[in-house]
Each structure stands twice: as C-alpha cells, then as structure tokens.
Amino acid sequence: LSIDNSAFGLRGGDCSGVAVAGEQVFVTDYNGNRVLGFLSEITSESQNPEVVLGAPDLDTDTLMSNDFITNPAIATDGQSLVIGSGYDRALSLWREIPTESGTPPTVRIEEIDSSSDIVIHEGVLVVAGQLRSLKIWMELPFEGERPDYEFNGEIGSVEYERISGVALDDHYFYLADGTGQIHVWSELPTSGEEPLFSIELDGAEYDLQSDGTHLVVSSSSSTMIFEVATLAEDS
C-alpha cells in the first residue's frame, strides 16, 4: 500500500524516518517541521494522519507562519535586507534591516527559484538561482514586482548549468558559472550581451564579493583577491 501524500503535504527531507508501534505509524516530515501520526491501521492511500506533532493542525506551515528561512542566501545595501531561500524558492525583503528576532519581511515573493547567491548595488537586485535562473530587478521589489530581466541557462554565448556566485560594483558585473570560469561584463546584461572577458580558474564553484576596489573569489579550499582596476582575462 502506498499513501498519497497530496492531502496532507508530506515534504520529507534528509532526516525523515518511520516508527511503527503495533498499528500506529509515526512519520518524520523533516522539511515540514513536524511529526505525523497514524493512530489506526492504514487501509487507504488517501488516509490522513490523526495526530500532528509540532504544529496545531495539518494545514499550518510552522516554517512559513514563523518566517523561518531554510538555506538562506543573504544580501544587504546597509539599509534594506534581502534573503533568498535555498529550499522553498521564495525571496524575502525587509525595507529596513530588522533589529528584533522574528521580524516578518516587508514582502515575500514566491516561486523565485532556490537562491544560490544574491547581490544588491545602488538599488539593483540580482538573484542567482540553483535551477539555472538569473533574475534582475532595477529597483528593490517591495511591492512584489516581477524581475525586469531574466535569463535561464545562457547569457549571449555564455552557457551555464549553475551559478555559484554573482557580484556587482560601479565597474563590472561578475558571474561565476560553477565550472571555474568567472565572466565579467562592463554593465549588467539585459538582452544577452557578451561578457567583456572571462577568467579561467582551477576548481569549480566560487563565491564572489566586490567592494569596487577588490574582487574576492572564494571556494571551500581557497580565497583569491583581485584588484578591480587591473582585472583582465589573464589576471
């Protein structure tokens, strides 16, 4: 017998498990932040659990209702805060940086893509997703606006399966494509412009940060610092 979980939204996860005690069955819904209990014998694929541990009922998502964010990618311009979830494909924005725990976001935008990296520079927001997406807002979307520009898997001749890092400053837009290449544009690509140049590095996934003077390129095994003013293909 298989149980159809669509009725109660079983989400599973890395640490899910099952415990059986006679006819009672308890299931760890790891990504749902709860334990589900079937107190009577399971006889139907559409049977719902009678007990929910960790939530008041089956319909309440305690992660969403308490503004919990899983696997976050974070960016700030010193005034506002943007956090993309690496799990539930949502983008949360605070107009002002929170000063208290549990402060709900000003706006939450659903179905963005699981964020791998985010950058804010002079009001421009760039969000890289784990599913090959790159989304650009020319202003922070506090009204829930959709992105002004969007790419999926390619920008001009640059093709990528995953973006591991993005950075933006007064000089360049940088994108690490997850294969060891860093592509550098003289301005934000909005219609598939070709990069100004690309830098080939050893390794694969790099995180990028720039303050306009230095570009920091880091991975799990190394950190490199480049001078932006002298950056070139052979840097």
Side-chain angles (χ1 to χ4, degrees):
L1 176 69
S2 297
I3 297 177
D4 180 3
N5 71 67
S6 60
F8 53 91
L10 182 70
R11 288 191 277 178
D14 297 335
C15 297
S16 293
V18 177
V20 179
E23 293 183 350
Q24 298 185 352
V25 177
F26 295 88
V27 180
T28 305
D29 191 9
Y30 178 76
N31 283 328
N33 200 37
R34 60 188 182 172
V35 174
L36 306 174
F38 297 84
L39 302 186
S40 56
E41 181 183 0
I42 300 174
T43 58
S44 167
E45 66 176 13
S46 60
Q47 187 167 328
N48 281 349
E50 294 91 343
V51 169
V52 185
L53 304 178
D57 51 53
L58 278 174
D59 297 326
T60 300
D61 186 331
T62 57
L63 298 175
M64 290 285 191
S65 60
N66 289 284
D67 298 305
F68 288 3
I69 299 173
T70 305
N71 301 340
I74 304 173
T76 181
D77 58 3
Q79 297 180 346
S80 302
L81 179 67
V82 179
I83 301 179
S85 169
Y87 168 67
D88 57 22
R89 302 179 62 192
L91 195 67
S92 299
L93 295 91
W94 288 259
R95 193 178 297 275
E96 297 181 354
I97 296 175
T99 57
E100 295 181 358
S101 297
T103 302
T106 305
V107 64
R108 180 183 174 92
I109 304 175
E110 306 287 347
E111 298 299 320
I112 288 297
D113 187 1
S114 301
S115 301
S116 58
D117 200 15
I118 300 176
V119 63
I120 306 173
H121 180 67
E122 294 187 349
V124 175
L125 172 65
V126 181
V127 179
Q130 295 181 12
L131 300 178
R132 306 175 77 226
S133 69
L134 183 73
K135 295 178 171 62
I136 300 172
W137 288 262
M138 301 310 291
E139 296 182 355
L140 293 179
F142 288 116
E143 301 300 323
E145 301 93 334
R146 303 305 298 175
D148 297 296
Y149 306 99
E150 187 170 353
F151 300 92
N152 186 26
E154 60 181 1
I155 305 175
S157 63
V158 174
E159 297 182 358
Y160 56 86
E161 290 297 324
R162 169 178 163 80
I163 300 173
S164 61
V166 289
L168 179 64
D169 57 33
D170 288 338
H171 307 282
Y172 300 116
F173 170 66
Y174 315 82
L175 183 150
D177 67 3
T179 68
Q181 283 193 316
I182 298 174
H183 306 286
V184 182
W185 283 262
S186 57
E187 57 185 13
L188 272 172
T190 57
S191 58
E193 295 88 345
E194 294 297 313
L196 192 62
F197 57 88
S198 299
I199 302 173
E200 184 81 36
L201 300 173
D202 293 332
E205 296 193 354
Y206 290 97
D207 180 60
L208 304 178
Q209 300 284 341
S210 175
D211 62 0
T213 302
H214 295 98
L215 174 69
V216 180
V217 180
S218 59
S219 70
S220 59
S221 59
S222 65
T223 298
M224 293 166 281
I225 302 175
F226 296 86
E227 291 186 2
V228 171
T230 60
L231 202 62
E233 184 174 358
D234 58 353
S235 295

